[in-house]
Amino acid sequence: MMERRRFLGMAASGMAGAAGMSALSGCGSGSGGDVTLKMVAADYGDPGGDNSSQKFWDELAREFTRKNPGISVDVSVYSWNTVDKKVADMVKAGNEPDIAQIGAYADYAASGKLYKVNELLTIPVQADFLPGLAEAGEVQRVQYGLPFVSSTRLLFYNKDLFEKAELDPDSPPRSWKEVASAARALKKAGVRMPFGLPLGPEEAPAETMMWMLEGGGNYVDTVGNYIIDSDENVETFTWIRDHLVKPGLTGTDPRNTDRQQAFDAFSKGECGMLHGHPTLMQQARRGRIRYGTGELPGRDGVSDANLGVADWMMAFRAGGHRKEAGKFLDFVYRENNHYAFAARYDLMPVTSSATKRMRKDEKHRQLWPFLDQLDSAQFYPAGKVSWAGTSAEIKRTIGRAVTRNGNPATVLGTIQRKAETEEKSTPAAG
């Protein structure tokens, strides 16, 4: 969800996962041609809205086929709630798409299912990726994952609700203590969701990592070992349980709250504060919300670390369409095309050329604070083959850590053990 994505982030129609490629070809954008590429992508638009990513891919695929008459592209777009599982089910059934744009790539690379990036892209396109993001696409120093879009996070808050709660609308909380104090005031003022805490399956890995970073922890240490049940992380989730959930300051059960639900509440004026990525700006503006942003609050002051999320593009070997997939991916990452997608959804580009363009575009001035944080942002351990399984476990279970009777040490310990087991059982990429 750019948990990707998020960053980022993100919902569309569904289909039975193993229904296979015949289902894909029914919703695509290309027609005719000697080779038809099958692509699965995540949706960055609003649920039920008119800005579905399907429209972007349909238009781009038609333009590509016009310039490359021998190749057509069928694209199917799914919600971030389901897209990773859809691809996993298709792979398990032997129906791999030619191209997938999803949240993780390393497990497929380790199974020998993906093309290496240098087998796909021309050298100028490879060289245009931001170095840190390109490195995040590597497994054992070989790049298999293509970063697609990225995002960092800020604290969003509703200025009108702050004023209603007699809080300074120009001073967002800078520490957890101030977050809890502001949330209590918002609750007293009748705000339904004083602090949005989406630990449901859609965004749980990102929300979890943000809190870990704010509390001085992380998923992994400096050499890549999992430290999910570290003292810092246990203390963080204990604080969330005791200072936000037990006093009723989240408004909903975090276990069953997805990111989009929290974003929708914010855009309806029902949520006082939450962690947000750039796409929330669009939704808040459409809801005519007077909002402000601030740096992520930490345990004792502004957080020293920020979450960076990259979503991933990859090409599967099974169809044998290396040349055609490479041509299409070269086309996707052309400056105009890549910039058009990032700009449409208020996300951050992953190439130097598109990033420079965004920094010069006054229309995207509100994105500049997010861009400023990208160089120092910390990303998921996406290059670990075990990350996909670990991320899925976090989605399933992390919300239990902050229930009123939850035990953070037990929940984080269970995730830690499963991550370690997953790490030992996964093969090295070849």
Side-chain angles (χ1 to χ4, degrees):
M1 159 156 5
M2 222 46 33
E3 8 244 346
R4 351 345 80 352
R5 37 188 218 269
R6 183 5 248 44
F7 274 142
L8 348 56
M10 300 162 179
S13 62
M15 73 167 190
M21 304 318 297
S22 59
L24 284 177
S25 62
C27 13
S29 32
S31 58
D34 301 325
V35 170
T36 299
L37 297 173
K38 308 296 182 180
M39 177 176 170
V40 174
D43 197 350
Y44 292 78
D46 300 332
D50 60 359
N51 65 338
S52 168
S53 300
Q54 186 75 57
K55 294 182 180 180
F56 172 88
W57 288 114
D58 287 349
E59 293 166 3
L60 191 69
R62 281 193 292 269
E63 178 66 11
F64 173 77
T65 299
R66 187 181 68 79
K67 295 181 177 181
N68 299 272
I71 311 170
S72 59
V73 188
D74 286 340
V75 185
S76 291
V77 173
Y78 301 101
S79 160
W80 273 106
N81 279 342
T82 60
V83 68
D84 289 321
K85 186 176 186 302
K86 294 296 182 185
V87 172
D89 288 345
M90 292 164 66
V91 172
K92 185 177 180 180
N95 290 318
E96 290 96 325
D98 294 293
I99 297 170
Q101 183 269 300
I102 52 178
Y105 64 87
D107 52 340
Y108 299 126
S111 301
K113 295 184 180 297
L114 301 182
Y115 287 112
K116 300 173 184 177
V117 170
N118 63 11
E119 295 178 291
L120 296 166
L121 300 182
T122 57
I123 291 175
V125 174
Q126 290 184 62
D128 198 24
F129 287 115
L130 297 172
L133 288 169
E135 290 174 8
E138 295 178 354
V139 176
Q140 296 187 350
R141 301 188 180 182
V142 177
Q143 188 180 359
Y144 295 90
L146 297 164
F148 179 59
V149 288
S150 63
S151 67
T152 56
R153 300 295 196 267
L154 293 174
L155 180 75
F156 282 70
Y157 65 100
N158 184 313
K159 290 191 172 186
D160 288 333
L161 294 182
F162 264 49
E163 287 181 347
K164 181 180 179 181
E166 299 183 353
L167 298 167
D168 186 346
D170 297 316
S171 296
R174 296 172 60 83
S175 68
W176 289 354
K177 182 178 179 180
E178 291 179 6
V179 165
S181 177
R184 289 193 296 270
L186 289 162
K187 181 182 180 181
K188 186 177 179 180
V191 176
R192 182 177 73 84
M193 187 184 290
F195 192 99
L197 186 64
L199 291 176
E202 182 184 9
E203 184 76 349
E207 188 72 18
T208 297
M209 186 168 171
M210 269 184 284
W211 282 100
M212 286 178 171
L213 292 172
E214 291 173 7
N218 204 332
Y219 284 129
V220 295
D221 61 20
T222 55
V223 294
N225 296 315
Y226 283 113
I227 52 169
I228 295 169
D229 62 349
S230 67
D231 291 344
E232 292 86 353
N233 292 340
V234 171
E235 290 171 6
T236 290
F237 280 84
T238 301
W239 187 92
I240 295 171
R241 181 196 65 189
D242 293 344
H243 293 85
L244 292 180
V245 179
K246 281 187 176 180
L249 302 181
T250 61
T252 59
D253 183 347
R255 293 174 299 176
N256 302 318
T257 304
D258 283 337
R259 174 195 55 82
Q260 192 58 56
Q261 291 173 287
F263 278 19
D264 289 346
F266 188 82
S267 302
K268 293 175 183 177
E270 299 173 353
C271 175
M273 300 175 283
L274 77 170
H275 295 133
H277 57 63
T279 302
L280 181 56
M281 296 190 299
Q282 276 192 1
Q283 195 173 340
R285 287 196 295 266
R286 287 197 295 273
R288 297 184 179 180
I289 300 299
R290 190 166 68 98
Y291 70 91
T293 59
E295 296 177 83
L296 295 186
R299 188 182 298 277
D300 299 311
V302 169
S303 176
D304 294 329
N306 198 299
L307 171 69
V309 174
D311 302 324
W312 298 99
M313 188 85 79
M314 63 212 69
F316 286 84
R317 292 181 175 274
H321 297 144
R322 179 188 64 81
K323 181 179 178 182
E324 294 84 1
K327 273 191 173 183
F328 182 62
L329 289 170
D330 260 17
F331 187 72
V332 167
Y333 285 102
R334 286 184 185 178
E335 179 186 329
N336 285 344
N337 295 333
H338 181 51
Y339 185 79
F341 189 94
R344 178 180 293 204
Y345 295 105
D346 276 342
L347 293 166
M348 291 182 287
V350 298
T351 63
S352 296
S353 58
T355 298
K356 290 176 183 176
R357 180 170 172 180
M358 185 165 278
R359 285 193 178 278
K360 295 177 182 178
D361 191 341
E362 289 287 337
K363 290 186 299 184
H364 294 289
R365 175 177 287 275
Q366 288 180 302
L367 276 176
W368 294 353
F370 294 94
L371 285 170
D372 290 342
Q373 297 181 107
L374 190 57
D375 288 341
S376 60
Q378 298 190 41
F379 291 83
Y380 294 147
K384 292 175 75 66
V385 178
S386 57
W387 173 244
T390 301
S391 176
E393 182 64 20
I394 292 166
K395 290 180 179 183
R396 284 192 295 269
T397 63
I398 191 63
R400 300 173 191 169
V402 298
T403 60
R404 287 179 175 272
N405 298 316
N407 187 321
T410 298
V411 173
L412 293 172
T414 299
I415 298 171
Q416 172 77 20
R417 289 189 293 276
K418 291 196 175 183
E420 291 173 345
T421 300
E422 190 90 13
E423 181 81 353
K424 292 176 183 176
S425 65
T426 50

